[in-house]
Amino acid sequence: MRERLLDMLRCPNCNGVLELTAFEMAADEVATGILHCAELHYFPVYKGIPRMLPNSLTDYWPEIEKAVPDPAPPSVLALVESERFQIEGEAFDKPTKANFSNEWENHDIGGKTWTMELNDRIQWFFLDPIRIPKEELKGKLMLDAGCGNGSQSVAYTKFGLEVVALDLSTGLEKGQVFREIYQEAKPENVHFVQADLQKPPLRADYIDIIHSAGVLHHTPNTLKTFRALRPLLKTGGTFYVWLYKFEKIVTPIVNTMRAVTTRIPAPVFARVADITAIPFIGFCWSVNKLGVRKYETPSRREAALAVHDIFGAPYAHYHNFEEVSGWYKSAGFNEIWGCNEDRRGFGVCGRLPVNGE
């Protein structure tokens, strides 16, 4: 974690400004430390990533404590004395965290996602829909809301963007590694934060671009999450989402299967996904040969990842352009357009008016 991020972060409970106590450094970054606000809500920094979820301090304290110097800083003494190892408020969605953390374990760092190469995903899900010329991206601050494995978050920095990459899962740890091996990356310009999109721990009216591809429909309530993110956007900002749409034949079949698969405990389903990856590959190959659908045959890793996403995610909501564009209108966007629609979903992008317009 770079100290630059501290200016952007806010306590997800009270929206308070956070202070950072660093215990271990890695080059010019904080590898291990503690964040806390004036209300004494505490959050760990572990493996260079702020962990802004309920009970994160409990989860990581055995490792954090090893790095605490002797004598301990006042912030740590206050923590120990208060024994506030939990943050207040609604519990986050633990089943979704578990499913997607297991899913991204199947991701090969630097490999394809959804059978798409990284540059293709950037073009399709980012450059084409947002309608901002490449040369105008430099210097803008972007939120990658639901960054998954973090590879796109890292790649966006080659355009001169500064990126805050949020995800509920531990998949962002893959991105933390990828930023060191992606040749075009500017590692200092990407900040990974483990957090709940329903309670984003970020400063309001501060972000230039919010980008969320294939994520909000996997939260408990798509609209609620959209509304939670909207206040982060500054005047004239751009907000893009890509969401599932309802397919008359496929969706009922998938949902019937999901009624069973989503009840399987996450550790067990991780094994199920690995085993069923092979028949899933066969299914993709067969429908492609028959001309029913056009699928690129995935690798086993990619197939396991797809099984996790389709059949393991606890929530999978379906929407349409008219509905979602209504959300944008109600949220004050004066420019709204549809984009990159395919058989499974569609994108919607909106831009807020600038002052005086």
Side-chain angles (χ1 to χ4, degrees):
M1 172 187 170
R2 287 180 167 80
E3 291 199 24
R4 157 77 178 125
L5 177 61
L6 196 62
D7 186 49
M8 309 178 208
L9 290 177
R10 292 293 182 269
C11 176
N13 277 352
C14 63
N15 200 39
V17 174
L18 294 163
E19 294 184 27
L20 171 65
T21 303
F23 302 147
E24 291 181 324
M25 301 294 293
D28 59 345
E29 295 186 77
V30 177
T32 309
I34 293 285
L35 292 160
H36 76 279
C37 66
E39 297 296 320
L40 299 182
H41 299 128
Y42 291 88
F43 310 91
V45 178
Y46 181 65
K47 292 185 177 180
I49 299 172
R51 315 286 177 151
M52 312 290 286
L53 296 172
N55 297 320
S56 286
L57 193 55
T58 302
D59 294 340
Y60 293 110
W61 182 249
E63 295 300 320
I64 299 290
E65 190 175 24
K66 294 175 186 177
V68 177
D70 185 18
S75 59
V76 177
L77 293 175
L79 163 64
V80 174
E81 290 171 2
S82 68
E83 297 183 351
R84 296 190 65 161
F85 279 77
Q86 299 184 38
I87 62 173
E88 302 165 358
E90 298 178 6
F92 66 97
D93 182 20
K94 293 181 181 179
T96 295
K97 175 181 178 288
N99 178 74
F100 283 99
S101 293
N102 286 329
E103 174 180 327
W104 292 117
E105 282 299 311
N106 286 294
H107 175 66
D108 188 11
I109 294 175
K112 293 181 180 179
T113 303
W114 313 127
T115 71
M116 294 178 71
E117 297 288 358
L118 179 57
N119 287 338
D120 294 332
R121 297 199 310 275
I122 290 171
Q123 191 68 44
W124 173 253
F125 286 112
F126 180 62
L127 293 176
D128 288 345
I130 64 166
R131 297 184 181 178
I132 300 175
K134 286 183 185 179
E135 59 272 16
E136 295 181 17
L137 293 173
K138 186 175 182 180
K140 292 187 182 297
L141 179 61
M142 174 175 151
L143 169 62
D144 192 355
C147 66
N149 62 52
S151 57
Q152 287 177 227
S153 310
V154 171
Y156 294 140
T157 65
K158 69 182 179 181
F159 302 116
L161 285 161
E162 184 168 17
V163 181
V164 180
L166 261 62
D167 205 85
L168 187 65
S169 79
T170 56
L172 40 64
E173 293 177 8
K174 300 267 187 174
Q176 192 85 328
V177 175
F178 186 64
R179 66 180 187 158
E180 303 302 329
I181 62 176
Y182 185 64
Q183 292 185 349
E184 297 180 85
K186 294 181 175 61
E188 68 279 7
N189 277 8
V190 59
H191 313 277
F192 289 101
V193 181
Q194 189 174 14
D196 187 348
L197 295 182
Q198 297 174 105
K199 299 180 72 174
L202 293 170
R203 184 173 170 178
D205 303 312
Y206 203 66
I207 306 292
D208 295 297
I209 302 169
I210 298 177
H211 186 273
S212 185
V215 177
L216 299 195
H217 52 230
H218 287 313
T219 66
N221 186 305
T222 312
L223 175 56
K224 180 180 177 181
T225 310
F226 175 86
R227 287 175 172 169
L229 294 171
R230 162 63 184 87
L232 306 179
L233 203 61
K234 65 169 61 171
T235 300
T238 302
F239 195 158
Y240 165 86
V241 298
W242 189 92
L243 301 170
Y244 285 156
K245 66 181 180 182
F246 191 90
E247 297 182 87
K248 290 182 179 179
I249 297 175
V250 175
T251 301
I253 295 172
V254 169
N255 283 348
T256 299
M257 298 173 70
R258 281 176 44 79
V260 176
T261 57
T262 54
R263 297 179 182 223
I264 301 173
V268 178
F269 189 78
R271 180 60 179 156
V272 170
D274 187 57
I275 293 171
T276 57
I278 298 299
F280 186 83
I281 292 170
F283 167 78
C284 293
W285 182 87
S286 298
V287 296
N288 192 39
K289 285 293 183 181
L290 292 171
V292 178
R293 292 286 176 100
K294 187 176 181 181
Y295 287 121
E296 181 179 335
T297 303
S299 68
R300 181 162 183 170
R301 277 179 178 267
E302 293 165 353
L305 189 150
V307 171
H308 262 292
D309 195 85
I310 298 169
F311 299 107
Y315 302 99
H317 305 298
Y318 304 89
H319 303 279
N320 59 62
F321 176 78
E322 289 73 21
E323 173 192 12
V324 178
S325 62
W327 303 350
Y328 277 81
K329 291 174 184 176
S330 298
F333 290 84
N334 65 332
E335 295 181 62
I336 305 164
W337 60 93
C339 42
N340 62 335
E341 182 174 2
D342 62 17
R343 62 169 187 81
R344 289 198 68 202
F346 63 99
V348 181
C349 201
R351 190 162 291 135
L352 291 172
V354 296
N355 288 329
E357 291 189 1

